[in-house]
């Protein structure tokens, strides 16, 4: 029984560590200059992005490309600039994290 409890605790710790790692990556790549988890800044709140794209099979790939290449028109008149400092793999990690936010 102690093993099961320890295993569950370890999984929860690893999951939360992963979430912190992704938030740190968002900060490091300057995403948080325009976005916040729970409120609109220049761009939409990450929770709003997750809600808008929830259930869409291609959301991660589609949004990861927008992170790298930029985009416009979906959230209003202010365009999202390209982010060449973010690799494709990092963009995918960031979007996967964003899609977990509720």
């Amino acid at each position: 029984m102690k093993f099961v409890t320890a295993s569950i605790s370890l999984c929860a710790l690893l999951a939360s560590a992963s979430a912190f790692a992704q938030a740190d990556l968002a900060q490091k790549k300057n995403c948080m200059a325009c976005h916040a988890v729970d409120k609109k800044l220049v761009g939409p709140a990450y929770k709003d992005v997750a809600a808008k794209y929830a259930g869409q099979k291609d959301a991660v790939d589609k949004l990861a490309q927008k992170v790298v290449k930029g985009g416009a028109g979906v959230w209003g008149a202010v365009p999202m600039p390209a982010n060449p400092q973010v690799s494709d793999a990092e963009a995918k990690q960031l979007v996967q994290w964003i899609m977990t936010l509720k």
Side-chain angles (χ1 to χ4, degrees):
M1 186 64 179
K2 288 182 181 180
F3 177 74
V4 172
T5 303
S7 295
I8 292 171
S9 296
L10 180 59
C11 288
L13 179 63
L14 291 174
S16 65
S18 177
F20 287 125
Q22 303 316 322
D24 287 345
L25 181 60
Q27 190 70 39
K28 178 181 169 188
K29 295 299 180 172
N30 210 25
C31 303
M32 303 306 258
C34 295
H35 297 277
V37 170
D38 58 355
K39 63 183 175 187
K40 180 185 182 337
L41 295 178
V42 175
Y46 286 146
K47 287 183 177 184
D48 293 341
V49 173
K52 182 176 187 118
Y53 291 94
Q56 294 184 26
K57 290 182 181 183
D58 65 340
V60 171
D61 292 331
K62 180 178 179 180
L63 292 173
Q65 286 302 305
K66 285 189 175 205
V67 168
V68 175
K69 295 179 180 177
V74 176
W75 295 94
V78 178
M80 180 170 154
N83 293 282
Q85 78 281 8
V86 180
S87 71
D88 290 340
E90 290 169 331
K92 191 169 185 177
Q93 284 180 306
L94 289 165
V95 173
Q96 287 170 334
W97 166 67
I98 291 165
M99 294 304 290
T100 67
L101 301 173
K102 304 284 185 237

